[in-house]
Amino acid sequence: MLNLLFRFGTPMLAIGCLVMICLILAGQPWSLALLESGGAQEFKIVFLSIILEAFPFILLGVIFSALLQVFVTDEMIQKMTPKHHIVGILFGALLGLIFPLCECGMIPVVRRLIRKGMPAYIGIVYLLAGPIINPIVFTSTYAAFRAEPQMAYDRIIIAFIVAIVIGLLLHRFMKGNPLKEAAVKHEHNHHHHDHPERHEPVKPSWGSRLSETLGHASDEFFDMGKYLIFGALLTAVIQSFIDRQAFESVANQPVLSYFFMMGLAFLLSICSTSDAFIAASFDGMFNHGPLLAFLVFGPMIDLKNLLMMLSAFRTRVVLSITALTFTLVLISVWLLEVVR
């Protein structure tokens, strides 16, 4: 459903813009009045401000991701992985500091690492913590919450705690390979068919690596950009055309406000390099706790991430991780607010 929306959403948006331009050129007074109404003005301001503020961080994120894709091999990461499970879990939680990948492209990377021998619980910890515990996301969160920089530190602390606890639980209770066996067999057969004989690898030239890096960066930029535009569009519509009293009635509910913001993060599916600007647009409506829950839960589990995880991991494993993440994020953020 979401893929169909993104597939046909762009052409429909372009057609809508063309229709509006034709109406304006034809001199339809109601169309001009619609564009100059208070709601439309607020919509344009919120939408463009989110896009313009998030753009540099998305660009920086895709460049880092592309460089890692081309220049850092899975074998290099596998050699760095510690053998002891506690050290390995800490390693997985902090791996994003060295390899700051966005959640949009982490699932294929983690799946490859697990298939090449990385313990599954370490890979899943990296999958959950990596999109938050990395310098690009910290910088974007700090920039979005300039008046409340503590939000950037709280985001990393809660993400670290949640990822560590989930890693320990997975090491204790998860038995066997969490990947779907059909996908593993398919990849093995495909690899065996394509490479019946081993050959010495040919080292690519710097020119080809640069070209491949630019290709990965452009593909990922447009792939991530549609999610940002979709999220910014929904956020602008929500804030411009829905009565603020409806938000205030939710925001004033101690428990409901957490559920609302976590559910919104799940549905919007915004990249972690730019979701802080979406959350910051709700600052003043919602308290620190619900906004923090939005910033932690969204990058770990959202709609697009859930669909990709279901394609790679067993359904029971994905549902267990989702339930654990939701519960631990809610409890951790609530306890942080109570302590303060």
PDB file of all heavy atoms in Angstrom, residues 61-77 99 101 105 109 112 202-220:
ATOM      1  N   GLY A  61      23.972  12.417   5.056  1.00  0.00           N
ATOM      2  CA  GLY A  61      23.736  11.019   5.388  1.00  0.00           C
ATOM      3  C   GLY A  61      23.902  10.088   4.207  1.00  0.00           C
ATOM      4  O   GLY A  61      24.509   9.020   4.324  1.00  0.00           O
ATOM      5  N   VAL A  62      23.385  10.464   3.033  1.00  0.00           N
ATOM      6  CA  VAL A  62      23.484   9.579   1.872  1.00  0.00           C
ATOM      7  C   VAL A  62      24.922   9.507   1.355  1.00  0.00           C
ATOM      8  O   VAL A  62      25.352   8.475   0.831  1.00  0.00           O
ATOM      9  CB  VAL A  62      22.523  10.020   0.739  1.00  0.00           C
ATOM     10  CG1 VAL A  62      21.093   9.982   1.219  1.00  0.00           C
ATOM     11  CG2 VAL A  62      22.863  11.380   0.186  1.00  0.00           C
ATOM     12  N   ILE A  63      25.677  10.582   1.495  1.00  0.00           N
ATOM     13  CA  ILE A  63      27.081  10.551   1.076  1.00  0.00           C
ATOM     14  C   ILE A  63      27.875   9.582   1.945  1.00  0.00           C
ATOM     15  O   ILE A  63      28.661   8.756   1.448  1.00  0.00           O
ATOM     16  CB  ILE A  63      27.697  11.968   1.120  1.00  0.00           C
ATOM     17  CG1 ILE A  63      27.084  12.839   0.014  1.00  0.00           C
ATOM     18  CG2 ILE A  63      29.215  11.903   0.958  1.00  0.00           C
ATOM     19  CD1 ILE A  63      27.516  14.288   0.060  1.00  0.00           C
ATOM     20  N   PHE A  64      27.675   9.652   3.279  1.00  0.00           N
ATOM     21  CA  PHE A  64      28.343   8.717   4.182  1.00  0.00           C
ATOM     22  C   PHE A  64      27.936   7.285   3.864  1.00  0.00           C
ATOM     23  O   PHE A  64      28.763   6.376   3.820  1.00  0.00           O
ATOM     24  CB  PHE A  64      27.977   9.047   5.635  1.00  0.00           C
ATOM     25  CG  PHE A  64      29.000   9.908   6.329  1.00  0.00           C
ATOM     26  CD1 PHE A  64      28.796  11.266   6.471  1.00  0.00           C
ATOM     27  CD2 PHE A  64      30.166   9.359   6.827  1.00  0.00           C
ATOM     28  CE1 PHE A  64      29.728  12.066   7.096  1.00  0.00           C
ATOM     29  CE2 PHE A  64      31.114  10.146   7.461  1.00  0.00           C
ATOM     30  CZ  PHE A  64      30.895  11.509   7.596  1.00  0.00           C
ATOM     31  N   SER A  65      26.637   7.085   3.656  1.00  0.00           N
ATOM     32  CA  SER A  65      26.140   5.747   3.366  1.00  0.00           C
ATOM     33  C   SER A  65      26.747   5.191   2.087  1.00  0.00           C
ATOM     34  O   SER A  65      27.132   4.027   2.021  1.00  0.00           O
ATOM     35  CB  SER A  65      24.612   5.773   3.255  1.00  0.00           C
ATOM     36  OG  SER A  65      24.105   4.499   2.931  1.00  0.00           O
ATOM     37  N   ALA A  66      26.841   6.029   1.063  1.00  0.00           N
ATOM     38  CA  ALA A  66      27.407   5.584  -0.210  1.00  0.00           C
ATOM     39  C   ALA A  66      28.893   5.261  -0.076  1.00  0.00           C
ATOM     40  O   ALA A  66      29.384   4.282  -0.652  1.00  0.00           O
ATOM     41  CB  ALA A  66      27.192   6.658  -1.278  1.00  0.00           C
ATOM     42  N   LEU A  67      29.635   6.076   0.673  1.00  0.00           N
ATOM     43  CA  LEU A  67      31.059   5.808   0.886  1.00  0.00           C
ATOM     44  C   LEU A  67      31.267   4.474   1.603  1.00  0.00           C
ATOM     45  O   LEU A  67      32.164   3.702   1.247  1.00  0.00           O
ATOM     46  CB  LEU A  67      31.688   6.947   1.691  1.00  0.00           C
ATOM     47  CG  LEU A  67      31.851   8.284   0.965  1.00  0.00           C
ATOM     48  CD1 LEU A  67      32.297   9.370   1.932  1.00  0.00           C
ATOM     49  CD2 LEU A  67      32.857   8.154  -0.176  1.00  0.00           C
ATOM     50  N   LEU A  68      30.436   4.203   2.609  1.00  0.00           N
ATOM     51  CA  LEU A  68      30.547   2.934   3.325  1.00  0.00           C
ATOM     52  C   LEU A  68      30.190   1.759   2.430  1.00  0.00           C
ATOM     53  O   LEU A  68      30.808   0.699   2.496  1.00  0.00           O
ATOM     54  CB  LEU A  68      29.622   2.950   4.543  1.00  0.00           C
ATOM     55  CG  LEU A  68      29.979   3.949   5.645  1.00  0.00           C
ATOM     56  CD1 LEU A  68      28.904   3.967   6.708  1.00  0.00           C
ATOM     57  CD2 LEU A  68      31.320   3.608   6.261  1.00  0.00           C
ATOM     58  N   GLN A  69      29.182   1.956   1.594  1.00  0.00           N
ATOM     59  CA  GLN A  69      28.753   0.883   0.700  1.00  0.00           C
ATOM     60  C   GLN A  69      29.863   0.475  -0.257  1.00  0.00           C
ATOM     61  O   GLN A  69      30.041  -0.703  -0.564  1.00  0.00           O
ATOM     62  CB  GLN A  69      27.518   1.354  -0.090  1.00  0.00           C
ATOM     63  CG  GLN A  69      26.955   0.350  -1.066  1.00  0.00           C
ATOM     64  CD  GLN A  69      26.185  -0.765  -0.373  1.00  0.00           C
ATOM     65  OE1 GLN A  69      25.830  -0.635   0.788  1.00  0.00           O
ATOM     66  NE2 GLN A  69      25.949  -1.843  -1.080  1.00  0.00           N
ATOM     67  N   VAL A  70      30.639   1.462  -0.719  1.00  0.00           N
ATOM     68  CA  VAL A  70      31.642   1.201  -1.747  1.00  0.00           C
ATOM     69  C   VAL A  70      32.995   0.839  -1.154  1.00  0.00           C
ATOM     70  O   VAL A  70      33.674  -0.077  -1.638  1.00  0.00           O
ATOM     71  CB  VAL A  70      31.779   2.438  -2.674  1.00  0.00           C
ATOM     72  CG1 VAL A  70      32.905   2.235  -3.680  1.00  0.00           C
ATOM     73  CG2 VAL A  70      30.455   2.695  -3.400  1.00  0.00           C
ATOM     74  N   PHE A  71      33.411   1.508  -0.079  1.00  0.00           N
ATOM     75  CA  PHE A  71      34.788   1.381   0.400  1.00  0.00           C
ATOM     76  C   PHE A  71      34.954   0.467   1.614  1.00  0.00           C
ATOM     77  O   PHE A  71      36.080   0.087   1.934  1.00  0.00           O
ATOM     78  CB  PHE A  71      35.351   2.767   0.738  1.00  0.00           C
ATOM     79  CG  PHE A  71      35.580   3.633  -0.470  1.00  0.00           C
ATOM     80  CD1 PHE A  71      34.630   4.560  -0.862  1.00  0.00           C
ATOM     81  CD2 PHE A  71      36.737   3.502  -1.225  1.00  0.00           C
ATOM     82  CE1 PHE A  71      34.837   5.348  -1.979  1.00  0.00           C
ATOM     83  CE2 PHE A  71      36.948   4.289  -2.337  1.00  0.00           C
ATOM     84  CZ  PHE A  71      35.997   5.215  -2.724  1.00  0.00           C
ATOM     85  N   VAL A  72      33.856   0.148   2.334  1.00  0.00           N
ATOM     86  CA  VAL A  72      33.955  -0.697   3.518  1.00  0.00           C
ATOM     87  C   VAL A  72      33.255  -2.018   3.225  1.00  0.00           C
ATOM     88  O   VAL A  72      32.052  -2.048   2.971  1.00  0.00           O
ATOM     89  CB  VAL A  72      33.316  -0.017   4.749  1.00  0.00           C
ATOM     90  CG1 VAL A  72      33.406  -0.931   5.968  1.00  0.00           C
ATOM     91  CG2 VAL A  72      34.004   1.303   5.032  1.00  0.00           C
ATOM     92  N   THR A  73      34.000  -3.101   3.280  1.00  0.00           N
ATOM     93  CA  THR A  73      33.426  -4.411   2.973  1.00  0.00           C
ATOM     94  C   THR A  73      32.810  -5.033   4.218  1.00  0.00           C
ATOM     95  O   THR A  73      33.149  -4.678   5.355  1.00  0.00           O
ATOM     96  CB  THR A  73      34.505  -5.359   2.422  1.00  0.00           C
ATOM     97  OG1 THR A  73      35.478  -5.596   3.448  1.00  0.00           O
ATOM     98  CG2 THR A  73      35.179  -4.761   1.202  1.00  0.00           C
ATOM     99  N   ASP A  74      31.919  -5.992   4.002  1.00  0.00           N
ATOM    100  CA  ASP A  74      31.315  -6.707   5.122  1.00  0.00           C
ATOM    101  C   ASP A  74      32.360  -7.490   5.907  1.00  0.00           C
ATOM    102  O   ASP A  74      32.258  -7.642   7.126  1.00  0.00           O
ATOM    103  CB  ASP A  74      30.248  -7.675   4.598  1.00  0.00           C
ATOM    104  CG  ASP A  74      29.100  -6.942   3.924  1.00  0.00           C
ATOM    105  OD1 ASP A  74      28.934  -5.744   4.214  1.00  0.00           O
ATOM    106  OD2 ASP A  74      28.396  -7.557   3.115  1.00  0.00           O
ATOM    107  N   GLU A  75      33.384  -7.999   5.211  1.00  0.00           N
ATOM    108  CA  GLU A  75      34.431  -8.760   5.875  1.00  0.00           C
ATOM    109  C   GLU A  75      35.208  -7.900   6.870  1.00  0.00           C
ATOM    110  O   GLU A  75      35.613  -8.373   7.937  1.00  0.00           O
ATOM    111  CB  GLU A  75      35.396  -9.358   4.841  1.00  0.00           C
ATOM    112  CG  GLU A  75      34.819 -10.514   4.044  1.00  0.00           C
ATOM    113  CD  GLU A  75      33.903 -10.048   2.927  1.00  0.00           C
ATOM    114  OE1 GLU A  75      33.809  -8.813   2.705  1.00  0.00           O
ATOM    115  OE2 GLU A  75      33.285 -10.907   2.278  1.00  0.00           O
ATOM    116  N   MET A  76      35.394  -6.619   6.536  1.00  0.00           N
ATOM    117  CA  MET A  76      36.102  -5.725   7.444  1.00  0.00           C
ATOM    118  C   MET A  76      35.327  -5.559   8.751  1.00  0.00           C
ATOM    119  O   MET A  76      35.910  -5.588   9.839  1.00  0.00           O
ATOM    120  CB  MET A  76      36.316  -4.370   6.764  1.00  0.00           C
ATOM    121  CG  MET A  76      37.272  -4.423   5.573  1.00  0.00           C
ATOM    122  SD  MET A  76      37.263  -2.906   4.580  1.00  0.00           S
ATOM    123  CE  MET A  76      37.776  -1.704   5.797  1.00  0.00           C
ATOM    124  N   ILE A  77      34.017  -5.408   8.645  1.00  0.00           N
ATOM    125  CA  ILE A  77      33.202  -5.269   9.845  1.00  0.00           C
ATOM    126  C   ILE A  77      33.172  -6.576  10.624  1.00  0.00           C
ATOM    127  O   ILE A  77      33.223  -6.585  11.866  1.00  0.00           O
ATOM    128  CB  ILE A  77      31.774  -4.825   9.474  1.00  0.00           C
ATOM    129  CG1 ILE A  77      31.814  -3.456   8.789  1.00  0.00           C
ATOM    130  CG2 ILE A  77      30.879  -4.771  10.703  1.00  0.00           C
ATOM    131  CD1 ILE A  77      30.462  -2.941   8.365  1.00  0.00           C
ATOM    132  N   PHE A  99      30.132   3.831  11.544  1.00  0.00           N
ATOM    133  CA  PHE A  99      29.450   3.635  10.265  1.00  0.00           C
ATOM    134  C   PHE A  99      28.032   4.197  10.379  1.00  0.00           C
ATOM    135  O   PHE A  99      27.081   3.467  10.650  1.00  0.00           O
ATOM    136  CB  PHE A  99      29.412   2.153   9.899  1.00  0.00           C
ATOM    137  CG  PHE A  99      30.766   1.513   9.815  1.00  0.00           C
ATOM    138  CD1 PHE A  99      31.148   0.537  10.720  1.00  0.00           C
ATOM    139  CD2 PHE A  99      31.673   1.907   8.848  1.00  0.00           C
ATOM    140  CE1 PHE A  99      32.403  -0.043  10.653  1.00  0.00           C
ATOM    141  CE2 PHE A  99      32.930   1.339   8.779  1.00  0.00           C
ATOM    142  CZ  PHE A  99      33.296   0.365   9.676  1.00  0.00           C
ATOM    143  N   LEU A 101      25.036   4.761   9.105  1.00  0.00           N
ATOM    144  CA  LEU A 101      24.060   4.474   8.056  1.00  0.00           C
ATOM    145  C   LEU A 101      22.667   4.883   8.505  1.00  0.00           C
ATOM    146  O   LEU A 101      22.328   4.774   9.684  1.00  0.00           O
ATOM    147  CB  LEU A 101      24.053   2.987   7.724  1.00  0.00           C
ATOM    148  CG  LEU A 101      25.277   2.430   6.979  1.00  0.00           C
ATOM    149  CD1 LEU A 101      25.193   0.920   6.925  1.00  0.00           C
ATOM    150  CD2 LEU A 101      25.372   3.010   5.583  1.00  0.00           C
ATOM    151  N   GLY A 105      18.742   2.088   4.665  1.00  0.00           N
ATOM    152  CA  GLY A 105      19.605   1.143   3.964  1.00  0.00           C
ATOM    153  C   GLY A 105      20.298   0.141   4.858  1.00  0.00           C
ATOM    154  O   GLY A 105      21.182  -0.591   4.405  1.00  0.00           O
ATOM    155  N   VAL A 109      22.239  -4.397   4.689  1.00  0.00           N
ATOM    156  CA  VAL A 109      23.608  -4.504   5.201  1.00  0.00           C
ATOM    157  C   VAL A 109      23.664  -5.486   6.367  1.00  0.00           C
ATOM    158  O   VAL A 109      24.517  -6.380   6.416  1.00  0.00           O
ATOM    159  CB  VAL A 109      24.132  -3.120   5.637  1.00  0.00           C
ATOM    160  CG1 VAL A 109      25.493  -3.244   6.316  1.00  0.00           C
ATOM    161  CG2 VAL A 109      24.231  -2.186   4.439  1.00  0.00           C
ATOM    162  N   ARG A 112      23.247  -9.093   5.250  1.00  0.00           N
ATOM    163  CA  ARG A 112      24.481  -9.642   4.678  1.00  0.00           C
ATOM    164  C   ARG A 112      25.478  -9.999   5.766  1.00  0.00           C
ATOM    165  O   ARG A 112      26.155 -11.030   5.698  1.00  0.00           O
ATOM    166  CB  ARG A 112      25.109  -8.639   3.698  1.00  0.00           C
ATOM    167  CG  ARG A 112      24.395  -8.540   2.362  1.00  0.00           C
ATOM    168  CD  ARG A 112      25.305  -7.915   1.321  1.00  0.00           C
ATOM    169  NE  ARG A 112      25.813  -6.614   1.750  1.00  0.00           N
ATOM    170  CZ  ARG A 112      25.217  -5.465   1.490  1.00  0.00           C
ATOM    171  NH1 ARG A 112      24.070  -5.443   0.821  1.00  0.00           N
ATOM    172  NH2 ARG A 112      25.731  -4.328   1.889  1.00  0.00           N
ATOM    173  N   VAL A 202      39.106  -8.586  -8.964  1.00  0.00           N
ATOM    174  CA  VAL A 202      39.759  -7.484  -9.661  1.00  0.00           C
ATOM    175  C   VAL A 202      39.508  -6.207  -8.873  1.00  0.00           C
ATOM    176  O   VAL A 202      38.357  -5.847  -8.608  1.00  0.00           O
ATOM    177  CB  VAL A 202      39.209  -7.341 -11.098  1.00  0.00           C
ATOM    178  CG1 VAL A 202      39.882  -6.163 -11.784  1.00  0.00           C
ATOM    179  CG2 VAL A 202      39.434  -8.627 -11.870  1.00  0.00           C
ATOM    180  N   LYS A 203      40.561  -5.552  -8.465  1.00  0.00           N
ATOM    181  CA  LYS A 203      40.428  -4.337  -7.673  1.00  0.00           C
ATOM    182  C   LYS A 203      39.930  -3.202  -8.560  1.00  0.00           C
ATOM    183  O   LYS A 203      40.565  -2.871  -9.563  1.00  0.00           O
ATOM    184  CB  LYS A 203      41.780  -3.967  -7.055  1.00  0.00           C
ATOM    185  CG  LYS A 203      41.673  -2.801  -6.066  1.00  0.00           C
ATOM    186  CD  LYS A 203      43.003  -2.539  -5.403  1.00  0.00           C
ATOM    187  CE  LYS A 203      42.885  -1.414  -4.390  1.00  0.00           C
ATOM    188  NZ  LYS A 203      44.170  -1.131  -3.732  1.00  0.00           N
ATOM    189  N   PRO A 204      38.774  -2.599  -8.210  1.00  0.00           N
ATOM    190  CA  PRO A 204      38.243  -1.528  -9.059  1.00  0.00           C
ATOM    191  C   PRO A 204      39.094  -0.275  -8.983  1.00  0.00           C
ATOM    192  O   PRO A 204      39.750  -0.016  -7.969  1.00  0.00           O
ATOM    193  CB  PRO A 204      36.842  -1.303  -8.473  1.00  0.00           C
ATOM    194  CG  PRO A 204      36.941  -1.759  -7.056  1.00  0.00           C
ATOM    195  CD  PRO A 204      37.921  -2.894  -7.063  1.00  0.00           C
ATOM    196  N   SER A 205      39.074   0.495 -10.041  1.00  0.00           N
ATOM    197  CA  SER A 205      39.837   1.739 -10.080  1.00  0.00           C
ATOM    198  C   SER A 205      39.136   2.800  -9.242  1.00  0.00           C
ATOM    199  O   SER A 205      37.954   2.687  -8.902  1.00  0.00           O
ATOM    200  CB  SER A 205      39.966   2.224 -11.525  1.00  0.00           C
ATOM    201  OG  SER A 205      38.690   2.548 -12.051  1.00  0.00           O
ATOM    202  N   TRP A 206      39.887   3.862  -8.928  1.00  0.00           N
ATOM    203  CA  TRP A 206      39.307   4.947  -8.136  1.00  0.00           C
ATOM    204  C   TRP A 206      38.193   5.634  -8.905  1.00  0.00           C
ATOM    205  O   TRP A 206      37.217   6.099  -8.314  1.00  0.00           O
ATOM    206  CB  TRP A 206      40.398   5.954  -7.770  1.00  0.00           C
ATOM    207  CG  TRP A 206      41.203   5.526  -6.592  1.00  0.00           C
ATOM    208  CD1 TRP A 206      42.397   4.874  -6.593  1.00  0.00           C
ATOM    209  CD2 TRP A 206      40.855   5.684  -5.207  1.00  0.00           C
ATOM    210  NE1 TRP A 206      42.824   4.624  -5.311  1.00  0.00           N
ATOM    211  CE2 TRP A 206      41.905   5.119  -4.434  1.00  0.00           C
ATOM    212  CE3 TRP A 206      39.779   6.264  -4.553  1.00  0.00           C
ATOM    213  CZ2 TRP A 206      41.880   5.105  -3.055  1.00  0.00           C
ATOM    214  CZ3 TRP A 206      39.744   6.256  -3.165  1.00  0.00           C
ATOM    215  CH2 TRP A 206      40.798   5.681  -2.430  1.00  0.00           C
ATOM    216  N   GLY A 207      38.336   5.692 -10.233  1.00  0.00           N
ATOM    217  CA  GLY A 207      37.289   6.316 -11.041  1.00  0.00           C
ATOM    218  C   GLY A 207      35.983   5.546 -10.973  1.00  0.00           C
ATOM    219  O   GLY A 207      34.909   6.139 -10.822  1.00  0.00           O
ATOM    220  N   SER A 208      36.088   4.224 -11.052  1.00  0.00           N
ATOM    221  CA  SER A 208      34.875   3.406 -10.988  1.00  0.00           C
ATOM    222  C   SER A 208      34.261   3.463  -9.590  1.00  0.00           C
ATOM    223  O   SER A 208      33.039   3.462  -9.428  1.00  0.00           O
ATOM    224  CB  SER A 208      35.185   1.962 -11.376  1.00  0.00           C
ATOM    225  OG  SER A 208      36.084   1.369 -10.451  1.00  0.00           O
ATOM    226  N   ARG A 209      35.110   3.517  -8.557  1.00  0.00           N
ATOM    227  CA  ARG A 209      34.593   3.625  -7.183  1.00  0.00           C
ATOM    228  C   ARG A 209      33.877   4.958  -6.977  1.00  0.00           C
ATOM    229  O   ARG A 209      32.824   5.019  -6.322  1.00  0.00           O
ATOM    230  CB  ARG A 209      35.724   3.487  -6.177  1.00  0.00           C
ATOM    231  CG  ARG A 209      36.241   2.065  -6.012  1.00  0.00           C
ATOM    232  CD  ARG A 209      37.213   1.969  -4.859  1.00  0.00           C
ATOM    233  NE  ARG A 209      37.585   0.600  -4.575  1.00  0.00           N
ATOM    234  CZ  ARG A 209      38.300   0.229  -3.519  1.00  0.00           C
ATOM    235  NH1 ARG A 209      38.722   1.137  -2.670  1.00  0.00           N
ATOM    236  NH2 ARG A 209      38.590  -1.043  -3.334  1.00  0.00           N
ATOM    237  N   LEU A 210      34.454   6.028  -7.515  1.00  0.00           N
ATOM    238  CA  LEU A 210      33.815   7.336  -7.391  1.00  0.00           C
ATOM    239  C   LEU A 210      32.475   7.354  -8.104  1.00  0.00           C
ATOM    240  O   LEU A 210      31.478   7.873  -7.585  1.00  0.00           O
ATOM    241  CB  LEU A 210      34.732   8.421  -7.954  1.00  0.00           C
ATOM    242  CG  LEU A 210      34.180   9.852  -7.931  1.00  0.00           C
ATOM    243  CD1 LEU A 210      33.881  10.285  -6.499  1.00  0.00           C
ATOM    244  CD2 LEU A 210      35.157  10.816  -8.592  1.00  0.00           C
ATOM    245  N   SER A 211      32.446   6.766  -9.307  1.00  0.00           N
ATOM    246  CA  SER A 211      31.195   6.696 -10.058  1.00  0.00           C
ATOM    247  C   SER A 211      30.150   5.879  -9.310  1.00  0.00           C
ATOM    248  O   SER A 211      28.975   6.252  -9.246  1.00  0.00           O
ATOM    249  CB  SER A 211      31.459   6.082 -11.438  1.00  0.00           C
ATOM    250  OG  SER A 211      30.265   5.918 -12.156  1.00  0.00           O
ATOM    251  N   GLU A 212      30.585   4.762  -8.707  1.00  0.00           N
ATOM    252  CA  GLU A 212      29.662   3.917  -7.955  1.00  0.00           C
ATOM    253  C   GLU A 212      29.159   4.635  -6.708  1.00  0.00           C
ATOM    254  O   GLU A 212      27.984   4.521  -6.334  1.00  0.00           O
ATOM    255  CB  GLU A 212      30.359   2.614  -7.554  1.00  0.00           C
ATOM    256  CG  GLU A 212      29.427   1.580  -6.934  1.00  0.00           C
ATOM    257  CD  GLU A 212      30.142   0.285  -6.591  1.00  0.00           C
ATOM    258  OE1 GLU A 212      31.359   0.173  -6.905  1.00  0.00           O
ATOM    259  OE2 GLU A 212      29.497  -0.599  -6.004  1.00  0.00           O
ATOM    260  N   THR A 213      30.047   5.406  -6.051  1.00  0.00           N
ATOM    261  CA  THR A 213      29.651   6.165  -4.871  1.00  0.00           C
ATOM    262  C   THR A 213      28.582   7.193  -5.214  1.00  0.00           C
ATOM    263  O   THR A 213      27.573   7.330  -4.512  1.00  0.00           O
ATOM    264  CB  THR A 213      30.870   6.875  -4.251  1.00  0.00           C
ATOM    265  OG1 THR A 213      31.857   5.902  -3.896  1.00  0.00           O
ATOM    266  CG2 THR A 213      30.470   7.668  -3.021  1.00  0.00           C
ATOM    267  N   LEU A 214      28.804   7.930  -6.311  1.00  0.00           N
ATOM    268  CA  LEU A 214      27.825   8.933  -6.728  1.00  0.00           C
ATOM    269  C   LEU A 214      26.501   8.282  -7.115  1.00  0.00           C
ATOM    270  O   LEU A 214      25.419   8.820  -6.842  1.00  0.00           O
ATOM    271  CB  LEU A 214      28.381   9.745  -7.903  1.00  0.00           C
ATOM    272  CG  LEU A 214      29.601  10.619  -7.594  1.00  0.00           C
ATOM    273  CD1 LEU A 214      30.118  11.291  -8.861  1.00  0.00           C
ATOM    274  CD2 LEU A 214      29.236  11.680  -6.549  1.00  0.00           C
ATOM    275  N   GLY A 215      26.574   7.101  -7.732  1.00  0.00           N
ATOM    276  CA  GLY A 215      25.360   6.389  -8.101  1.00  0.00           C
ATOM    277  C   GLY A 215      24.560   5.958  -6.883  1.00  0.00           C
ATOM    278  O   GLY A 215      23.339   6.155  -6.825  1.00  0.00           O
ATOM    279  N   HIS A 216      25.273   5.380  -5.884  1.00  0.00           N
ATOM    280  CA  HIS A 216      24.590   4.962  -4.648  1.00  0.00           C
ATOM    281  C   HIS A 216      23.988   6.177  -3.940  1.00  0.00           C
ATOM    282  O   HIS A 216      22.858   6.112  -3.427  1.00  0.00           O
ATOM    283  CB  HIS A 216      25.582   4.272  -3.712  1.00  0.00           C
ATOM    284  CG  HIS A 216      25.803   2.827  -4.036  1.00  0.00           C
ATOM    285  ND1 HIS A 216      24.804   1.874  -3.945  1.00  0.00           N
ATOM    286  CD2 HIS A 216      26.909   2.149  -4.444  1.00  0.00           C
ATOM    287  CE1 HIS A 216      25.276   0.696  -4.289  1.00  0.00           C
ATOM    288  NE2 HIS A 216      26.555   0.834  -4.603  1.00  0.00           N
ATOM    289  N   ALA A 217      24.756   7.273  -3.891  1.00  0.00           N
ATOM    290  CA  ALA A 217      24.279   8.464  -3.181  1.00  0.00           C
ATOM    291  C   ALA A 217      23.028   9.037  -3.836  1.00  0.00           C
ATOM    292  O   ALA A 217      22.066   9.406  -3.147  1.00  0.00           O
ATOM    293  CB  ALA A 217      25.386   9.521  -3.134  1.00  0.00           C
ATOM    294  N   SER A 218      23.023   9.113  -5.165  1.00  0.00           N
ATOM    295  CA  SER A 218      21.858   9.671  -5.856  1.00  0.00           C
ATOM    296  C   SER A 218      20.636   8.775  -5.689  1.00  0.00           C
ATOM    297  O   SER A 218      19.528   9.252  -5.437  1.00  0.00           O
ATOM    298  CB  SER A 218      22.172   9.874  -7.340  1.00  0.00           C
ATOM    299  OG  SER A 218      22.462   8.641  -7.972  1.00  0.00           O
ATOM    300  N   ASP A 219      20.840   7.449  -5.802  1.00  0.00           N
ATOM    301  CA  ASP A 219      19.712   6.520  -5.640  1.00  0.00           C
ATOM    302  C   ASP A 219      19.127   6.620  -4.241  1.00  0.00           C
ATOM    303  O   ASP A 219      17.899   6.676  -4.063  1.00  0.00           O
ATOM    304  CB  ASP A 219      20.168   5.084  -5.908  1.00  0.00           C
ATOM    305  CG  ASP A 219      20.502   4.841  -7.371  1.00  0.00           C
ATOM    306  OD1 ASP A 219      20.070   5.664  -8.217  1.00  0.00           O
ATOM    307  OD2 ASP A 219      21.198   3.849  -7.666  1.00  0.00           O
ATOM    308  N   GLU A 220      19.999   6.643  -3.237  1.00  0.00           N
ATOM    309  CA  GLU A 220      19.516   6.685  -1.854  1.00  0.00           C
ATOM    310  C   GLU A 220      18.886   8.033  -1.535  1.00  0.00           C
ATOM    311  O   GLU A 220      17.918   8.110  -0.777  1.00  0.00           O
ATOM    312  CB  GLU A 220      20.672   6.398  -0.887  1.00  0.00           C
ATOM    313  CG  GLU A 220      20.200   6.137   0.535  1.00  0.00           C
ATOM    314  CD  GLU A 220      21.301   5.582   1.409  1.00  0.00           C
ATOM    315  OE1 GLU A 220      22.378   5.236   0.888  1.00  0.00           O
ATOM    316  OE2 GLU A 220      21.076   5.484   2.624  1.00  0.00           O
TER     317      GLU A 220
END
